[in-house]
Amino acid sequence: MKKLLPFLTLCFALLLSGFVSRPAADGYQVGDKAADFKLKNIDGKMVSLADNKAAKGYIVVFTCNTCPFAKAYESRIIDLNAKYAPKGYPVVAINPNDPAVAPGDSYADMQKKKYAFPYLVDESQQVAKTYGATRTPHLYVLTRKGADFVVSYIGAIDDNSEDPRLVKTKYVENAMTEILAGKPATTNSTKAIGCTIKWRRA
């Protein structure tokens, strides 16, 4: 049994490496300026934050096709865009997963989605690392301050990933109510709940 322990320990570590996200860079904190990016949309066009001159901000959500949490939140992400895009805060969805690790998250599979908002591929995974995203979904509300976009909220959409009917606290909607009133969000950071991002294996 003692001879088996090192082998079993190694196997366990290798198993975990496939499921546990690597530590991301520190990423953004509330109040930080978010750098712009240029990523390919599912329609083949390149999209950046600067493209929409009328945007008062953005709801940036790192999500994907395959994660059960992302699937559970898909309709709620669509609803966020329907509610806040007319108020100047459209959704921008970004898929950071490596399709070699999660084949269902390939660009071709992304193109099967029919969203009213951009669904961008973060092929290099650099945008997710810059933001500090670790989960799908992982959401960031950005607010325009002059020529910059400042992070106003980071975290989860609400407090119940399993059943939207049982949600008690709608974190993003509560934050947006205050942001649209010109106030900082009282709760500006929560723990993102979802699958770990599937980072490219070294």
Side-chain angles (χ1 to χ4, degrees):
M1 183 64 185
K2 288 183 179 179
K3 292 181 180 179
L4 280 175
L5 281 176
F7 176 75
L8 292 172
T9 301
L10 176 61
C11 289
F12 184 68
L14 290 172
L15 180 65
L16 281 179
S17 69
F19 295 96
V20 179
S21 97
R22 299 175 189 170
D26 289 340
Y28 292 139
Q29 304 296 320
V30 171
D32 288 348
K33 294 178 183 178
D36 204 350
F37 49 74
K38 188 175 286 288
L39 297 174
K40 186 166 67 173
N41 192 14
I42 52 176
D43 63 3
K45 296 178 181 178
M46 301 302 289
V47 172
S48 69
L49 299 178
D51 291 339
N52 186 347
K53 305 299 183 185
K56 297 177 182 177
Y58 289 97
I59 298 173
V60 176
V61 55
F62 291 89
T63 188
C64 67
N65 295 349
T66 58
C67 169
F69 291 91
K71 291 178 180 179
Y73 272 111
E74 184 175 28
S75 63
R76 281 174 269 185
I77 292 169
I78 291 169
D79 289 344
L80 285 175
N81 186 69
K83 183 170 184 176
Y84 295 110
K87 298 178 181 181
Y89 283 80
V91 163
V92 173
I94 301 174
N95 181 359
N97 279 354
D98 178 7
V101 181
D105 284 318
S106 70
Y107 183 68
D109 284 304
M110 289 174 62
Q111 289 180 301
K112 296 174 184 177
K113 298 292 185 179
K114 305 298 180 185
Y115 294 138
F117 48 83
Y119 187 24
L120 312 178
V121 57
D122 184 10
E123 190 172 2
S124 71
Q125 302 185 310
Q126 189 56 54
V127 176
K129 290 175 183 176
T130 298
Y131 272 68
T134 59
R135 302 277 173 176
T136 53
H138 202 151
L139 190 142
Y140 297 74
V141 175
L142 310 182
T143 302
R144 187 189 291 276
K145 302 289 184 183
D148 299 316
F149 287 100
V150 176
V151 180
S152 299
Y153 172 84
I154 302 172
I157 294 172
D158 56 43
D159 65 353
N160 195 310
S161 61
E162 296 180 6
D163 191 340
R165 296 169 298 180
L166 300 180
V167 169
K168 294 180 180 178
T169 306
K170 297 182 177 182
Y171 301 126
V172 173
E173 292 196 29
N174 290 348
M176 287 303 305
T177 296
E178 294 176 302
I179 290 166
L180 289 169
K183 303 174 183 178
T186 301
T187 300
N188 58 23
S189 181
T190 59
K191 182 180 179 180
I193 303 297
C195 305
T196 56
I197 289 176
K198 304 304 181 282
W199 301 108
R200 186 170 293 110
R201 290 170 178 164

